[in-house]
């Protein structure tokens, strides 16, 4: 519980958790420092989620790995992050958020060094998995510490800063990566996009060590490590089978991997029904609005993130653009995402779930525009002809990405809100992993037999069909979003 009007910068509330704020009307110096540390952590995550979209073709040319590495680059980080995100939050509650934050940012920084020094595809993918795992420790702690440090009066001020900075980081990630790769700093090609994390991570660790409050553990509940293991093993088995089978042929190994993945995933579902402290409360799935939002978010995010990855590959490998020019070619979509996020959020209470419908229609309009243009021009198309469709698609993406899950938890009970929000955040990351694997598989399979132009249009048709299916799920969402959005 926060105490508005407290005169000191640090007070101890009834829960024995320190809350940092001075005058509720303004942010104190200590709180601004805490906010800066949390922003650094989130920038690390956001940029490393998107940089491989641009970097993948260059990395493959340097260390090999072919189509398989391209698929894994997009899936490995998000897979580890999604599987362990809820566990990371629980670890912070049990062992102290400051301690787990420091472990997370230190591990993330070292894993980034491993990525930058990788000499072969296996080493790079292993380091990306480790990066995602430590990211799952890092991200929940920063947000929890920041929210616990604020009074209600300070929330609008902080999120007025936090939101634009995060949107800017998402926008800048691929663009910065493209220009860094094209600059070929010290002859290192793609490696500086990971090595830059050494500077950011070290600074963030030292700053966190100095300014983050020591929040006592708030829970002694056991953590379902077995459940997390079953989920991780199941997802890894499914993705490995899909990626390797579609790349090297459907031999016994990928088929067995997918079958084993399904078996482990079934074990995870059973575990959640019987575990006293499950990662996902089974009662949530009796809530029609939550279940519809989860399915809608999973399908939409998987499709649109996979398509975005494929668009980057198309611009570089089919149109012959450099990484920096490809990043600029995708910039209209990024601008659309950021603009619609700012414009659309105030409309949530006005339009209700119709806002999600509008976002899906805009996404579909952008997809149809891209399909029409590429069908007419093929690989002779210019980025200028694609820009309007990218902008419209981005506007739809921004509208949906910030609103779908807010509506999904619109009528979730208060005691289930934490589990619901954490589950949806994990699903968002898992959807990214699934989408990058599935849509790139479609693209490469079609490209091998019919060329890059046909591969791109086929990918657009698949994502368009997913978006149309999502339109029907909108009306199963709660009419109103959560009063305090997740």
């Amino acid at each position: 519980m926060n105490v508005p009007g407290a005169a000191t910068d640090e007070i101890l509330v009834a829960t024995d958790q320190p809350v940092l704020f001075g005058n509720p009307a303004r942010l104190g110096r200590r709180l601004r420092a805490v906010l800066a540390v949390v922003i650094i952590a989130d920038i690390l995550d956001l940029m490393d989620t998107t940089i491989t979209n641009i970097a993948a073709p260059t990395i493959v040319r340097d260390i090999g790995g072919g189509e398989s590495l391209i698929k894994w680059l997009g899936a490995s980080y998000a897979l580890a992050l999604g599987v362990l995100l809820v566990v990371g939050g629980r670890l912070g509650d049990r062992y102290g958020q400051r301690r787990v934050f420091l472990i997370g940012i230190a591990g993330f920084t070292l894993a980034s060094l491993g990525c930058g020094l990788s000499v072969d595809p296996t080493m790079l993918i292993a380091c990306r998995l480790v990066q995602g795992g430590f990211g799952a420790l890092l991200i929940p702690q920063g947000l929890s510490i920041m929210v616990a440090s604020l009074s209600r009066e300070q929330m609008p001020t902080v999120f007025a800063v936090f939101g634009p900075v995060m949107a800017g980081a998402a926008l800048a990630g691929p663009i910065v990566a493209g220009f860094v790769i094209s600059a070929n700093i010290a002859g290192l090609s793609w490696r500086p996009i990971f090595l830059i994390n050494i500077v950011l991570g070290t600074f963030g660790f030292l700053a966190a060590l100095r300014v983050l409050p020591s929040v006592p553990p708030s829970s002694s509940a056991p953590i379902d490590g077995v459940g997390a293991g079953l989920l991780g093993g199941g997802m890894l088995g499914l993705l490995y089978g899909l990626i390797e089978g579609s790349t090297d042929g459907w031999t016994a190994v990928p088929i067995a991997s997918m079958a084993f993945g399904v078996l482990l995933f079934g074990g995870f579902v059973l575990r959640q029904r019987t575990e006293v402290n499950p990662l996902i409360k089974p009662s949530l799935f009796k809530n029609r609005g939550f279940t519809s939002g989860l399915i809608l978010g999973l399908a939409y995010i998987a499709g649109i993130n996979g398509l975005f990855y494929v668009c980057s590959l198309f611009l570089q490998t089919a149109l012959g653009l450099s990484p920096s020019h490809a990043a600029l070619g995708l910039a209209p979509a990024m601008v659309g995402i950021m603009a619609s996020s700012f414009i659309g959020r105030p409309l949530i209470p006005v339009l209700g779930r119709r806002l999600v419908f509008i976002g899906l229609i805009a996404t579909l309009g952008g997809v149809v525009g891209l399909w029409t243009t590429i069908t007419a021009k093929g690989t002779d198309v210019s980025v200028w002809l694609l820009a309007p469709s990218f902008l419209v698609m981005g506007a739809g993406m921004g509208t949906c990405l910030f609103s779908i899950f807010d509506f999904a938890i619109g009528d979730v009970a208060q005691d289930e809100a934490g589990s619901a929000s954490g589950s949806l955040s994990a699903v968002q990351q898992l959807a990214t992993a699934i989408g990058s694997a599935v849509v790139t598989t479609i693209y490469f399979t079609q490209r091998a037999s019919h060329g890059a132009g046909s591969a791109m249009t086929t990918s657009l048709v698949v994502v368009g069909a997913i978006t149309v299916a999502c339109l029907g799920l909108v009306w199963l969402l709660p009419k109103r979003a959560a009063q305090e959005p997740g």
Side-chain angles (χ1 to χ4, degrees):
M1 177 179 177
N2 293 319
V3 185
T8 60
D9 279 342
E10 183 169 332
I11 63 174
L12 199 63
V13 293
T15 58
D16 292 333
Q17 293 187 10
V19 181
L20 302 175
F21 54 84
N23 187 326
R26 59 193 295 271
L27 303 180
R29 184 173 59 184
R30 183 77 181 276
L31 183 54
R32 289 198 297 270
V34 171
L35 175 61
V37 169
V38 174
I39 284 176
I40 288 172
D42 277 50
I43 286 175
L44 285 170
D45 167 59
L46 277 172
M47 293 190 69
D48 276 75
T49 299
T50 57
I51 54 176
T52 54
N53 288 359
I54 290 295
T58 305
I59 293 173
V60 167
R61 283 196 297 269
D62 185 23
I63 63 173
E67 295 178 8
S68 179
L69 178 58
I70 289 177
K71 297 172 187 177
W72 276 115
L73 279 172
S76 54
Y77 178 85
L79 171 63
L81 183 62
V83 167
L84 296 175
L85 199 58
V86 175
V87 174
R90 300 274 179 90
L91 287 171
D93 292 340
R94 184 166 185 180
Y95 297 106
Q97 291 158 352
R98 181 177 183 271
R99 177 187 300 174
V100 177
F101 182 96
L102 290 170
I103 293 171
I105 196 167
F108 189 96
T109 303
L110 291 174
S112 297
L113 176 62
C115 289
L117 298 179
S118 293
V119 295
D120 58 41
T122 301
M123 180 178 176
L124 179 55
I125 294 306
C127 290
R128 286 288 283 171
L129 286 166
V130 174
Q131 246 192 337
F134 278 106
L137 297 183
L138 175 63
I139 300 307
Q141 320 316 324
L143 293 174
S144 296
I145 290 171
M146 186 178 71
V147 171
S149 301
L150 301 172
S151 68
R152 285 189 177 274
E153 291 84 354
Q154 291 169 325
M155 288 260 186
T157 301
V158 169
F159 282 100
V161 175
F162 191 78
V165 170
M166 292 302 99
L171 173 64
I175 296 175
V176 170
F179 278 94
V180 167
I181 294 169
S182 294
N184 194 23
I185 300 169
L188 293 175
S189 185
W190 54 273
R191 298 179 188 277
I193 66 173
F194 293 112
L195 297 177
I196 194 174
N197 291 346
I198 309 304
V199 178
L200 288 173
T202 301
F203 177 80
F205 179 86
L206 295 175
L209 199 62
R210 181 176 177 83
V211 306
L212 288 189
S214 296
V215 181
S218 60
S219 172
S220 59
I223 298 167
D224 186 16
V226 174
L230 289 170
L231 176 60
M235 292 298 302
L236 185 61
L238 288 170
L239 287 176
Y240 180 86
L242 173 65
I243 290 173
E244 298 305 316
S246 62
T247 304
D248 298 325
W250 292 100
T251 60
V253 173
I255 293 174
S257 176
M258 294 191 73
F260 190 57
V262 170
L263 182 65
L264 290 179
F265 190 75
F268 168 75
V269 173
L270 292 175
R271 173 81 178 181
Q272 298 311 289
R273 296 179 62 182
T274 58
E275 173 64 18
V276 176
N277 294 288
L279 297 177
I280 303 175
K281 290 187 176 182
S283 58
L284 285 169
F285 295 102
K286 298 178 182 178
N287 184 312
R288 188 188 72 174
F290 174 81
T291 304
S292 301
L294 185 146
I295 296 171
L296 171 56
L298 177 63
Y300 180 79
I301 292 170
I304 209 67
N305 273 285
L307 178 60
F308 209 72
Y309 195 14
V310 162
C311 286
S312 173
L313 298 176
F314 178 75
L315 293 180
Q316 293 182 73
T317 61
L319 302 190
L321 299 184
S322 67
S324 58
H325 288 147
L328 290 176
L330 293 172
M334 297 295 193
V335 171
I337 291 172
M338 188 160 62
S340 61
S341 298
F342 289 122
I343 295 171
R345 184 163 288 283
L347 297 176
I348 287 180
V350 178
L351 295 175
R353 62 189 179 188
R354 288 174 293 178
L355 186 63
V356 179
F357 187 85
I358 292 169
L360 291 172
I361 290 295
T363 302
L364 186 60
V367 168
V368 171
L370 289 173
W371 181 87
T372 302
T373 305
I374 295 173
T375 298
K377 295 289 185 177
T379 54
D380 293 327
V381 69
S382 73
V383 291
W384 296 107
L385 288 176
L386 299 175
S389 297
F390 276 136
L391 181 64
V392 173
M393 186 176 74
M397 290 171 63
T399 302
C400 291
L401 292 175
F402 77 75
S403 61
I404 289 174
F405 288 163
D406 283 353
F407 283 96
I409 61 174
D411 58 8
V412 167
Q414 185 66 33
D415 63 334
E416 295 178 327
S419 177
S421 184
S423 301
L424 292 173
S425 297
V427 163
Q428 182 174 358
Q429 298 300 328
L430 292 175
T432 300
I434 294 168
S436 62
V438 171
V439 181
T440 51
T441 293
I442 293 169
Y443 176 79
F444 284 128
T445 301
Q446 189 71 9
R447 191 183 72 171
S449 55
H450 296 90
S454 176
M456 191 68 232
T457 55
T458 301
S459 301
L460 288 164
V461 168
V462 171
V463 175
I466 292 172
T467 306
V468 170
C470 289
L471 288 169
L473 290 171
V474 171
W475 311 113
L476 299 178
L477 294 173
K479 293 181 179 180
R480 299 295 171 188
Q483 292 185 356
E484 295 185 7

